[in-house]
Amino acid sequence: MRIFLIGFMGCGKSTMGRALAASLDMTFIDLDTYLEERYFKTFNLIFAEEGEANFRLKERKVLEEVSAFDQVIIATGGGAPCFFDNMELMNNSGFCIFLDVEIDSLVYRLIHAKTERPLIKGKSPEELRHFIEELMQKRRPFYEKAQYILKGNEIKPDDILNIFS
Ligand code: S3P
């Protein structure tokens, strides 16, 4: 059993993943954290020093690695599903779930987030909303390839547990 949680930055993949892993007695993997430990470098630094294209190559490599692990719940970075054939890789090696949270909530959560994200660094709330709207439009077709789509601003671990019961 392998579950991939995908969706835009701030949709709650990691929080959900940790809760699910505890309920299902599985191991939680945050793909960004795994990547940082694998390459001994923060993803902020990889973005800054090597550029996004290199980050995406590394992200693909670690996605392949974790796709071979058993009994894991993996929260991917928001962009991971949208590069290479990463969606096909995830759909073929496990259950892929898209957490489809509304733009208003994403804006609110990202404004109040503690984690620094290179793609949105320094943006005003208005710029952030515009950025999210535009990028979500491009990313949605990839996200919607997931086998399961959960919509709403209050998606609970039980909503996912119900899929598997
Ligand atoms: C990114 C999302 C981030 C991280 C990187 C790029 C994106 O992960 O992988 O900053 O392209 O949407 P989160 O979705 O966990 O913030």
Side-chain angles (χ1 to χ4, degrees):
M1 172 95 143
R2 211 170 278 129
I3 300 173
F4 296 93
L5 299 176
I6 67 165
F8 208 87
M9 288 175 264
C11 75
K13 295 163 293 210
S14 299
T15 309
M16 175 67 81
R18 271 189 209 96
L20 274 182
S23 298
L24 294 169
D25 199 18
M26 290 168 73
T27 304
F28 172 68
I29 298 174
D30 179 291
L31 196 67
D32 281 333
T33 308
Y34 180 92
L35 186 152
E36 291 183 331
E37 289 170 359
R38 170 83 167 64
Y39 290 99
F40 304 104
K41 214 171 180 181
T42 64
F43 65 80
N44 277 315
L45 213 57
I46 299 173
F47 257 81
E49 290 184 359
E50 303 177 24
E52 182 174 352
N54 261 312
F55 171 78
R56 297 302 172 191
L57 286 171
K58 287 183 161 67
E59 185 177 55
R60 165 66 186 199
K61 177 96 179 78
V62 291
L63 190 61
E64 282 174 14
E65 287 179 10
V66 300
S67 294
F69 294 170
D70 278 329
Q71 292 297 100
V72 282
I73 300 195
I74 299 144
T76 75
C82 315
F83 291 83
F84 313 106
D85 62 344
N86 290 350
M87 272 312 297
E88 286 69 26
L89 173 65
M90 290 189 273
N91 275 331
N92 290 334
S93 48
F95 296 99
C96 201
I97 304 172
F98 169 28
L99 306 182
D100 190 4
V101 169
E102 281 162 24
I103 303 277
D104 280 348
S105 288
L106 294 176
V107 175
Y108 180 86
R109 291 181 197 185
L110 289 172
I111 286 172
H112 295 92
K114 289 187 204 91
T115 323
E116 204 177 78
R117 290 168 163 98
L119 289 179
I120 58 172
K121 204 171 165 211
K123 292 200 186 324
S124 69
E126 292 72 31
E127 287 167 338
L128 183 60
R129 166 176 291 277
H130 185 66
F131 173 82
I132 295 174
E133 280 170 352
E134 283 208 324
L135 192 56
M136 184 58 118
Q137 222 177 0
K138 290 192 194 128
R139 288 184 169 182
R140 184 168 281 286
F142 294 94
Y143 293 152
E144 288 187 341
K145 289 186 187 172
Q147 291 117 326
Y148 300 99
I149 299 177
L150 293 177
K151 279 186 189 293
N153 299 325
E154 300 289 335
I155 306 168
K156 301 261 180 331
D158 274 354
D159 299 328
I160 295 183
L161 292 172
N162 288 338
I163 297 175
F164 299 103
S165 60

